Amino acid sequence: MFESSDNQADLRLKPLRVPRLKDGIFSEAVDLVEALPGWSLVSKDEAKGVIECTRKARLLGAQARVTISFEAPEGVPSTTVKMRSESKGGLLNHDKQNVLEFMEKLRQRVV
């Protein structure tokens, strides 16, 4: 399991803070999940600010269950995006790479 955290040295692995409304960031994230090869949308709940998806297994790894969460004050253009990837099984763990892959691409879209 790996999740974005302010304790990470790499900026790309920290929660993403964007001066935009949550609904726009949420929509961009859903579009990105649907566009990335190997990623599949499982569920989305904009009211709760949560996207559940899977990342197809990579070489010697297992399929990952990915949770993307969005926090923002109502009506204020300030959104924080956090992400967690959990894999069970497989010889190699790719959870950190999953978070890096998605957060880097989301940052390019919204910043």
Side-chain angles (χ1 to χ4, degrees):
M1 195 271 292
F2 185 87
E3 61 187 346
S4 57
S5 165
D6 285 321
N7 296 328
Q8 295 296 324
D10 188 334
L11 177 67
R12 300 168 302 169
L13 296 172
K14 293 178 182 270
L16 176 61
R17 291 176 176 85
V18 185
R20 290 180 45 191
L21 293 172
K22 181 174 86 171
D23 58 348
I25 302 300
F26 188 91
S27 295
E28 286 286 346
V30 169
D31 290 346
L32 181 57
V33 168
E34 292 174 337
L36 285 173
W39 292 74
S40 298
L41 183 65
V42 174
S43 67
K44 60 183 178 176
D45 187 331
E46 190 169 351
K48 290 183 181 178
V50 177
I51 297 171
E52 296 284 344
C53 52
T54 58
R55 171 62 166 95
K56 184 178 168 183
R58 299 178 192 211
L59 182 64
L60 301 178
Q63 178 172 290
R65 177 112 178 142
V66 178
T67 303
I68 308 162
S69 61
F70 303 78
E71 299 171 358
E74 189 64 37
V76 177
S78 177
T79 303
T80 300
V81 183
K82 297 180 182 176
M83 188 170 176
R84 182 178 69 238
S85 176
E86 296 180 73
S87 301
K88 294 188 174 142
L91 296 175
L92 298 176
N93 181 310
H94 296 286
D95 292 324
K96 185 175 182 178
Q97 289 87 351
N98 295 339
V99 171
L100 181 63
E101 175 186 17
F102 188 86
M103 292 296 264
E104 193 170 43
K105 292 188 183 325
L106 183 62
R107 183 180 307 278
Q108 291 170 358
R109 284 184 173 218
V110 300
V111 173

